[in-house]
Amino acid sequence: MPEMSPAELRARLAAALPDALVDVAPLAMTPPPAHGPQPGMFHPPDPFVHPDHLVAAALFVRDTLGYALLSDIAVVDYLYAGCFELVYRFYHPSGGPGIVLRVRVPRDAPQVPSLTPHWPAANFHEREAFDLFGVEFVGHPYLRRIYMWDEFEGFPMRKDFPRQGDKYLGGDE
Amino acid sequence: MAEIDPTQLELERQGVLLTTVNRFYNWGRRSSIWPMAFGLACCAIEMMAFGLSRYDVARFGAELFRASPRQADLMIVAGTVTKKMAPQVVRLYNQMAEPRYVISMGACATSGGPFRDGYNVLRGIDLLIPVDVYVPGCPPRPEALLHALMTLQEQIDRQKLGRVRWYGSSDKPQTSDFPVPTFGAKGLEIDGKLVDPVGGLPLLSPYTSPSHGEHRSGQIEHPEIVRQFPIMDPEVELENALKARGVAPEIAADDLKRSVVNDA
């Protein structure tokens, strides 16, 4: 079964698409506490891809490396760092562990090129990411809400979506 | 069985059947409550067990799960009612023929359950339709649902044919369709008002418990009372809606069951 470590994937991508990879600084998920143990910074080993080169990198992963199954597009909201991170997870049809591509976009203008024209499986994943996080997939043929109703306002999985519920009443006082 | 002469019961044991039209009719209705084949979430799995051989609701005459609301007497709201699903639930209820009954099965259908404070789950189906029997549990065991069915049967036994809305002369208050909520920017709306505003939920359903299926006022009982859910003990003095004033008696008495309290 094919197996590819993140470092290996980085090397293959760097050789094939030298512009696609970006170096990102380690990311702080929360404001550092005034005292006490400092939390570690978040710096995963997976390759980070520039949004403009995402389609090329994904097609390289599919056509050259053979990881043809796009399993999931996850979005993480790093509110303190001010960015969304999109995690694309690919699997090989003959099995083995998956590989991961990551894309970071700023929270105030989250725009990512859509994979749907090349990869029909991305359709619902991207609509879900748009529905819950408001990430705009440029080039998606039918980008509208999939879980929430069309009249709903706001993106409920964002960290700054207002909390609702009786248990939060009076919590700020 | 309410108000049955003990002589009558004794005669039945001896093989002499004396009955009233009322009791005979209620016996007929209680013994064939057909539920609607309608499940929303994991509670529906327990509802299937309740219908199948191990728990065997056929003993109660309720084994015929109907796929059409027109032929069903009982709606078992089995599971989480998401806001996107709620209009369909009300619509199905409106399509059922009277007399019709509702069992709210499980924590989610009753109150929203663990998803109560989320953005997507209705906080209790009784905000939209009247509920006859609530079943606690997450999910309730099939025995609990059987008990709910027996409770419903007892409620039907107590109905008086001359007084129920759907028989007899027409001067009784009749139901119209229950309003189907529409989708709004923040949640479900009826007539432009949020169905379940945060902090504004009454402890009682706006549809007062339809007393044995006989009437529905549509009014909140005692709307002048401000209700807050979490602290219901009238003795407790409140600082705000969710916080009691002062120190809990256990803490004041140093009665917490731990020897060391570190304040790190």
Side-chain angles (χ1 to χ4, degrees), chain B residues 72-148:
Chain B
D73 306 304
L74 168 66
M75 175 190 254
I76 302 177
V77 185
T80 315
V81 188
T82 56
K83 286 178 182 168
K84 212 168 175 183
M85 191 65 186
Q88 280 73 265
V89 178
V90 180
R91 209 165 271 137
L92 282 172
Y93 181 73
N94 283 338
Q95 288 170 358
M96 288 166 67
E98 285 187 322
R100 54 192 174 182
Y101 304 96
V102 178
I103 288 179
S104 162
M105 181 183 181
C108 295
T110 302
S111 71
F115 314 109
R116 183 181 174 83
D117 294 327
Y119 57 91
N120 56 347
V121 172
L122 184 72
R123 298 139 143 240
I125 190 61
D126 56 1
L127 292 166
L128 300 177
I129 56 177
V131 175
D132 293 273
V133 183
Y134 298 88
V135 193
C138 186
R141 287 195 50 92
E143 292 98 324
L145 194 54
L146 282 175
H147 183 257

Side-chain angles (χ1 to χ4, degrees), chain A residues 132 146-149 151-153 156-157 161 164-170 173, chain B residues 83-84 116-120 123 183-187 198-199 201 228 240 242:
Chain A
L132 301 180
I146 185 169
Y147 287 148
M148 309 300 289
W149 47 96
E151 294 87 351
F152 190 78
E153 279 177 10
M157 294 297 275
F161 187 78
Q164 43 191 305
D166 296 326
K167 71 179 178 190
Y168 300 119
L169 275 185
E173 294 161 0
Chain B
K83 286 178 182 168
K84 212 168 175 183
R116 183 181 174 83
D117 294 327
Y119 57 91
N120 56 347
R123 298 139 143 240
F183 293 125
K186 295 215 175 298
V198 170
L201 282 188
Q228 292 289 353
N240 61 46
L242 295 192

Side-chain angles (χ1 to χ4, degrees), chain A residues 28 70 128 172:
Chain A
L70 174 59
E128 180 183 352
D172 300 330

Side-chain angles (χ1 to χ4, degrees), chain A residues 77-162:
Chain A
D77 182 2
Y78 292 110
L79 181 62
Y80 177 66
C83 68
F84 287 126
E85 184 175 289
L86 281 80
V87 184
Y88 292 76
R89 181 173 294 275
F90 301 90
Y91 284 92
H92 201 287
S94 50
I99 59 175
V100 167
L101 294 182
R102 291 175 190 257
V103 179
R104 278 194 188 152
V105 288
R107 279 185 104 253
D108 43 2
Q111 283 195 337
V112 181
S114 170
L115 290 188
T116 308
H118 308 280
W119 220 316
N123 189 339
F124 279 12
H125 295 314
E126 290 180 346
R127 279 181 62 188
E128 180 183 352
F130 167 74
D131 188 359
L132 301 180
F133 286 92
V135 180
E136 190 186 335
F137 291 90
V138 180
H140 192 287
Y142 192 63
L143 193 63
R144 47 170 285 190
R145 290 191 178 274
I146 185 169
Y147 287 148
M148 309 300 289
W149 47 96
D150 292 334
E151 294 87 351
F152 190 78
E153 279 177 10
F155 303 106
M157 294 297 275
R158 285 193 181 187
K159 286 276 168 64
D160 55 357
F161 187 78

